[in-house]
Amino acid sequence: MTSSAPAVRARRRNALAVVLCAGLTVALTACAGEDPDKGTNGVGKLTAEQIDRKARAAADAADAVRLTGKLVSKDGSYSLDMRLSGKGGSGSVTSKQNTFEILRVGDEVYLKADAGFWKDEAADDEGAQAADKLDGKYVKVPEDDPTYRQLRGFTEKKTLLDGMLTLHGKVGKGERKTVGGVRTVQIMGGSGEGGALDVSLEGTPYPLRVARGGGGGTVTLADWGKSFPLEAPADDDTVDYGGDLPKSSG
């Protein structure tokens, strides 16, 4: 009498193979059909030009933003930590030689630095002596002072962002990344020198990081829409310099 055991084992092997193949097929199908934009704001599906427009529109509509990072221009290199709104801005700027604070409320611009800063900038002995009185005080910058426009430029949200977010050349889509734990899609300017912008794939499509073209520095943008205190300093914390500020050496 012939045993049926080999036939039974063969049927079990065939059945197991069918189950494994079916499971593998389902897994592969699921992977192939998985939407990389699932759970996002859908911006990643758009063209680079459309993403650029949405990011700019979101930035323009936001009441406030915080910028941290470095800007490099023909006038020098600056490290920024600034909070900006449509009504003004506040924060610190570090140049090659100095660190100072800037505060703007409306059209009034104030500069705050230590005595070392003012002594470095002083043109004569009298100015050097006055530096100690300015140590840690807010100095109101006259609107006709040559440095007023430059200092104010660090506090103007629209002006600063318009220049910073501009990508040069034909815009294309880059890689998916994360900035501060937030998923982003990157858009890039042309020829590798046009800059790169990381746009949030979560919530509002804010620009979260910009690498300026031509080695112009990298800046992170955060706290979109979050308000911050913005008011003129107290009178006893303010000093009137009494004339044009010393010309900065950068």
Side-chain angles (χ1 to χ4, degrees), residues 170-242:
K170 183 175 176 57
V171 180
K173 290 174 70 171
E175 301 177 355
R176 304 295 180 95
K177 295 178 178 290
T178 60
V179 176
V182 178
R183 288 180 292 173
T184 65
V185 59
Q186 191 174 76
I187 55 176
M188 308 174 68
S191 304
E193 292 292 330
L197 188 65
D198 287 279
V199 179
S200 176
L201 287 173
E202 302 177 20
T204 305
Y206 290 122
L208 299 185
R209 181 172 59 198
V210 56
R212 301 179 72 208
T218 300
V219 175
T220 299
L221 304 96
D223 296 342
W224 286 101
K226 293 185 178 180
S227 61
F228 59 93
L230 190 62
E231 57 185 25
D235 289 342
D236 59 0
D237 199 25
T238 307
V239 173
D240 184 357
Y241 189 81

Side-chain angles (χ1 to χ4, degrees), residues 147-193:
T147 63
Y148 176 87
R149 175 52 55 186
Q150 181 184 24
L151 293 172
R152 178 168 179 154
F154 285 115
T155 68
E156 293 186 329
K157 173 179 174 286
K158 179 172 176 54
T159 300
L160 202 56
L161 291 183
D162 282 350
M164 187 180 301
L165 300 181
T166 298
L167 300 176
H168 302 284
K170 183 175 176 57
V171 180
K173 290 174 70 171
E175 301 177 355
R176 304 295 180 95
K177 295 178 178 290
T178 60
V179 176
V182 178
R183 288 180 292 173
T184 65
V185 59
Q186 191 174 76
I187 55 176
M188 308 174 68
S191 304
E193 292 292 330

